[in-house]
Amino acid sequence: MRNKLFTLGKIATLAIAIATTLVACKDKEEPQAPPTPPTPPSGEATFNVLYRVGHDRAADWSLQPFSEAGIKVGEISFQGKGYNLGSTRTQQVFSSHNGSVVYVYDQGTGELSKLKPAVGSTEVYTKIGKIDTKAALDNGTGNIRLIDDNTAILYRLISKVTTETTNGEVDTTVTATAVIAKVDLQNLTVNAAQTKKFNLPVATTSKTILYVTGLDIPVVANGKLYFGVAKNEIFRSTGKKTAGDKLQGKNEACSWVLDYPSLSNDNFITNAAVKGATARPNSFYGLSYGVYNNSLYHTTIDGKVLKITNGSYDTSYEIDLKTAAGFPETIAVMGFFYVNNGIAYANYSLVTDKGKVVGYDNAASGVLRIDLNAKTAVKLNVPAKLWLNFYQAAKVHNGKLYMALCPTDTKGNIYIFDPTKTDANGFEKGAALEALGGALYLGVF
């Protein structure tokens, strides 16, 4: 299938296809043996930049690959350039460690595509395969996360709230089911027969029901698979939320843990001392985990950094990022990227007095440098008017973190953060980023 140049304003209807039990089909429109594009010399990395036009439900998406030299100088533009991913609400993109293979998951259709980038080529990506994953997720779509260069995890949360009236009495019941499948990235296959389903616990009292509404950003550490968890509480008599906190900060921090690779022996671990969900409900974007010194570190939505050691929360460890960075305002953490030696970076957004993350028109995102050992956080001098609520990924390369940061009202840059530098200017600027109104740079892979 020929690559399409990226065009603005294209709105398409999501197409839902029926999957087979063993999902391993190739694109029939492609040649049987597509040409292999050139790859960077051994030891070099490809930097794949993700671009989106539109911050509402439907959007156009495009990708471009760059060499390490190309990501540092000149200007990056998607006007008449790039590989079109198609119009939909969400494209989830990730790459192999060195960026030489890119995977795109269309959350609307459930199609997973495998692309080979060609730096400096007019045909910037060659599609070398695609599969329909819906059969592996109980004939639905969900989210996906790279575990390593060979495996990705597909996951879906199905929550069902049922309210019935009997003899004038209203009662509500809830079920929550998690569906998990593993993707063989080398062969681009998903075996639907190996899908695992879990009935997640529902806590019911005479008045309320507490249940899982979000699972996000799984990571493997020390033979365990961890998911961030968000929960919701509703009244049995109405089926409506007990609190309108959009940041899910009411309930205790929680993670779902399974043995890996068997996907068995699941259990929930909590930190009752800290409020705030560890995942954004039903969202790919946002929080992540970092593994350091055999411990797992992660953020809550309302700006705490927590630590898990030997499969349990270390309740003696906590960083309040608002306090550590000296914010007068409430902040929400929208992304967490671990680099090395105890240093991580986090995207944050300001929060309105109604508990909602600031919207695109009032863009107020930024980046923090976090020292997990010293429990400190520094607000970095990145541009104002950033909106990073949809930001997907940052790339760690040669001990530094690469991010595409572009304000909503002017040009931006690739930022290269150096974790050895402790001050607010601990970065260098790379290539300039050109953007039109409403366009977003969503990651470097």
Side-chain angles (χ1 to χ4, degrees):
M1 181 179 292
R2 291 181 59 83
N3 296 343
K4 300 178 181 177
L5 290 179
F6 186 62
T7 57
L8 302 177
K10 176 183 174 186
I11 305 296
T13 304
L14 298 178
I16 305 298
I18 302 227
T20 56
T21 298
L22 181 63
V23 188
C25 60
K26 297 288 183 179
D27 185 356
K28 294 181 180 180
E29 297 180 15
E30 294 174 357
Q32 292 297 315
T36 302
T39 56
S42 178
E44 293 188 14
T46 298
F47 294 75
N48 301 279
V49 177
L50 179 62
Y51 185 77
R52 165 179 170 144
V53 177
H55 58 274
D56 295 323
R57 293 183 64 88
D60 288 309
W61 303 73
S62 188
L63 275 170
Q64 273 194 79
F66 298 90
S67 66
E68 184 172 354
I71 204 76
K72 292 182 176 180
V73 298
E75 182 174 78
I76 293 174
S77 172
F78 278 80
Q79 309 315 311
K81 300 178 181 178
Y83 180 89
N84 182 25
L85 300 181
S87 294
T88 186
R89 182 178 184 181
T90 303
Q91 299 279 8
Q92 299 177 5
V93 181
F94 54 100
S95 75
S96 60
H97 180 71
N98 65 359
S100 62
V101 180
V102 174
Y103 302 89
V104 180
Y105 179 71
D106 187 321
Q107 197 179 35
T109 66
E111 181 178 286
L112 176 65
S113 300
K114 186 174 184 178
L115 309 176
K116 189 74 173 177
V119 176
S121 171
T122 55
E123 294 288 322
V124 292
Y125 292 88
T126 299
K127 184 184 286 189
I128 56 178
K130 71 176 184 179
I131 55 174
D132 185 334
T133 66
K134 291 195 303 300
L137 289 183
D138 200 21
N139 292 319
T141 63
N143 294 298
I144 192 167
R145 189 69 171 179
L146 183 76
I147 296 300
D148 53 42
D149 282 354
N150 297 311
T151 307
I153 292 291
L154 276 166
Y155 54 103
R156 180 187 180 197
L157 177 66
I158 307 170
S159 298
K160 185 177 181 180
V161 178
T162 304
T163 300
E164 296 181 346
T165 302
T166 304
N167 297 327
E169 296 290 328
V170 178
D171 193 26
T172 302
T173 57
V174 175
T175 59
T177 303
V179 185
I180 305 178
K182 288 189 288 188
V183 183
D184 179 343
L185 295 175
Q186 296 303 311
N187 297 305
L188 205 61
T189 58
V190 185
N191 193 331
Q194 296 178 358
T195 293
K196 295 289 187 76
K197 292 184 181 180
F198 300 85
N199 293 321
L200 304 183
V202 176
T204 303
T205 69
S206 60
K207 294 184 178 180
T208 63
I209 303 174
L210 182 67
Y211 64 102
V212 175
T213 54
L215 296 172
D216 213 352
I217 316 301
V219 67
V220 171
N222 302 321
K224 301 286 185 178
L225 178 66
Y226 292 82
F227 286 86
V229 174
K231 295 180 180 180
N232 195 14
E233 185 181 52
I234 59 176
F235 288 113
R236 289 185 62 180
S237 60
T238 62
K240 296 181 179 180
K241 294 180 182 179
T242 61
D245 185 357
K246 298 299 182 181
L247 298 182
Q248 299 289 309
K250 178 180 178 181
N251 302 307
E252 60 192 8
C254 180
S255 292
W256 186 37
V257 189
L258 305 92
D259 288 349
Y260 186 85
S262 65
L263 301 180
S264 60
N265 298 322
D266 72 304
N267 69 294
F268 286 82
I269 60 173
T270 60
N271 184 342
V274 178
K275 301 299 181 182
T278 56
R280 297 179 67 198
N282 306 316
S283 173
F284 170 74
Y285 316 110
L287 313 185
S288 186
Y289 291 86
V291 182
Y292 171 57
N293 278 353
N294 292 319
S295 291
L296 204 63
Y297 293 81
H298 69 94
T299 55
T300 66
I301 289 175
D302 58 351
K304 306 293 194 305
V305 180
L306 306 180
K307 180 180 180 181
I308 298 172
T309 303
N310 296 326
S312 300
Y313 278 96
D314 179 351
T315 56
S316 68
Y317 185 96
E318 178 187 328
I319 308 174
D320 184 332
L321 294 176
K322 174 184 175 180
T323 302
F327 281 97
E329 312 98 332
T330 300
I331 63 170
V333 176
M334 312 304 292
F336 180 70
F337 311 106
Y338 180 73
V339 182
N340 56 38
N341 298 322
I343 304 301
Y345 293 81
N347 295 343
Y348 67 86
S349 178
L350 299 185
V351 177
T352 69
D353 56 4
K354 295 183 179 181
K356 297 181 180 180
V357 176
V358 171
Y360 176 86
D361 292 337
N362 299 301
S365 297
V367 182
L368 300 175
R369 177 193 184 272
I370 304 169
D371 188 323
L372 299 174
N373 292 315
K375 297 184 179 181
T376 58
V378 176
K379 180 182 177 182
L380 298 174
N381 288 333
V382 297
K385 298 291 288 184
L386 293 175
W387 197 67
L388 304 177
N389 297 15
F390 286 179
Y391 204 85
Q392 290 198 20
K395 186 178 183 68
V396 178
H397 177 66
N398 287 341
K400 295 182 179 180
L401 185 73
Y402 289 73
M403 294 184 70
L405 299 179
C406 191
T408 59
D409 60 351
T410 187
K411 291 183 178 182
N413 285 90
I414 297 294
Y415 278 72
I416 307 168
F417 297 99
D418 185 344
T420 66
K421 297 181 179 179
T422 60
D423 64 285
N425 296 306
F427 55 80
E428 61 180 299
K429 293 183 182 180
L433 302 177
E434 181 186 52
L436 298 179
L440 300 168
Y441 284 83
L442 297 188
V444 181
F445 302 83

